Amino acid sequence: MSQRVNADPENLEKGLAQLVLTVIELLRQLMERQAIRRIEGGTLDDEEIERLGRTFLALANRMEELKDTFGLSDEDLNLDLGPLGNLM
Amino acid sequence: VTLLLYAVADCDPSDVAGAGLDGARLEAVTDGRLTAVFSEHPQSAHAPTAERLWRYERVIEALMNRHAIVPMRYGSSMADRREVASMLHERHDAFAAAVERVKGKVEVSVHADYRHPPPADPAPSGREYMLGQVERHRRAATLGEHLHGLTTLVQASRMRLLKAPSAGVQAAYLVQAEHVSAFAERVSELSRTLPEVDLVCTGPWPPYTFAEEAGR
């Protein structure tokens, strides 16, 4: 709501981290959902599923570490997409 | 000094009375038929403790019980009355549209989660992780289909997946105030048909989810 910027350096860093991580999380979720659709559609073989799974698992774990580092919650990284609903 | 905002209301400024947080008097700035409701505080740093958030919520609920409002999130603050007036003027049309959208309605929340989630493997292989995610989304979609039956009584709804590994969903519904009891009864009926699911219905809340577009 407030359009003013809180110029406290720690808050600025956290705000910037929140923005960057939100975009990364958006991309991660979109790619994972795409992979889920492809698995459901039967277009990936076992080796591809294993490789994708390892990648997404590592990304998810890394995202948890970054959220901890910057004191962010899942809610902080959620994007409300208006009529489309929330991102996550 | 900082001004803590509670809501933009469809009311006359003379209707704004009572106290906000810390006993500070509720004040109003008006643009057209819209009134921003706020209180003045000596400092800007207000730690969002649970007790403070509930007090803030009660101020907004008291406003909601008397007027159509666009509620603000805790921490919405402005420097002075001129900034409030400017904000209200610049976003007048968006606020007016949001007030119309939520007039006479409240938000009801439904938290739906499976009682017995599949055991989580602490160190899954890539394939196990992906197939687990496929199953999680499938179960969430099934829950979403069950909850879809609730939408006949509502004006709008939003749904989101709960944090992994849960396959549950959190749904928000915009409900006519006079239909809240009927909606809660529908949730109870649905709950009886889904013994494997915990359904928790809370509200009525100020329509945070459905008024947010105006607040940006």
Side-chain angles (χ1 to χ4, degrees), chain A:
Chain A
M1 178 56 229
S2 173
Q3 298 299 292
R4 290 188 296 145
V5 172
N6 184 337
D8 176 76
E10 192 179 332
N11 280 334
L12 273 180
E13 184 183 69
K14 186 173 176 179
L16 187 59
Q18 181 176 356
L19 184 61
V20 172
L21 291 184
T22 298
V23 173
I24 294 171
E25 184 63 6
L26 169 64
L27 294 173
R28 188 186 76 79
Q29 293 265 345
L30 288 175
M31 288 191 300
E32 192 169 286
R33 287 184 187 202
Q34 177 72 12
I36 287 168
R37 277 198 289 274
R38 290 184 66 191
I39 291 170
E40 288 176 326
T43 61
L44 294 175
D45 63 31
D46 281 354
E47 193 181 324
E48 288 170 320
I49 293 172
E50 173 66 26
R51 201 168 58 241
L52 276 173
R54 280 203 305 268
T55 303
F56 285 123
L57 187 54
L59 274 172
N61 290 337
R62 185 70 181 127
M63 186 58 76
E64 288 301 315
E65 291 170 11
L66 288 168
K67 280 190 292 191
D68 277 351
T69 301
F70 291 102
L72 296 167
S73 68
D74 289 324
E75 281 294 308
D76 293 326
L77 302 190
N78 201 359
L79 284 181
D80 187 333
L81 302 177
L84 298 175
N86 286 315
L87 165 65
M88 288 167 268

Side-chain angles (χ1 to χ4, degrees), chain B residues 44-162:
Chain B
S44 59
H46 297 289
T49 61
E51 188 191 348
R52 204 168 172 77
L53 290 171
W54 275 115
R55 286 210 302 269
Y56 184 78
E57 171 69 19
R58 281 197 289 272
V59 174
I60 292 180
E61 286 183 12
L63 289 167
M64 176 184 80
N65 291 335
R66 297 196 303 271
H67 314 288
I69 64 164
V70 175
M72 298 292 144
R73 298 281 183 182
Y74 179 84
S76 300
S77 59
M78 299 241 149
D80 52 37
R81 298 177 75 97
R82 197 165 60 179
E83 195 176 356
V84 176
S86 170
M87 176 275 296
L88 201 53
H89 185 69
E90 284 171 17
R91 303 195 211 167
H92 181 278
D93 291 352
F95 279 127
V99 161
E100 279 305 315
R101 190 163 56 243
V102 302
K103 188 175 279 184
K105 306 176 188 82
V106 293
E107 183 166 330
V108 179
S109 185
V110 174
H111 181 102
D113 203 359
Y114 290 95
R115 290 179 199 272
H116 304 293
D121 186 340
S125 68
R127 186 171 188 278
E128 286 165 342
Y129 172 79
M130 279 316 302
L131 295 185
Q133 289 296 86
V134 169
E135 176 64 7
R136 175 172 169 250
H137 280 258
R138 189 193 62 75
R139 283 161 62 88
T142 302
L143 259 189
E145 285 167 17
H146 287 302
L147 294 181
H148 187 70
L150 298 172
T151 56
T152 54
L153 267 180
V154 309
Q155 310 295 311
S157 65
R158 300 280 174 84
M159 201 176 294
R160 69 179 175 84
L161 194 55
L162 294 177

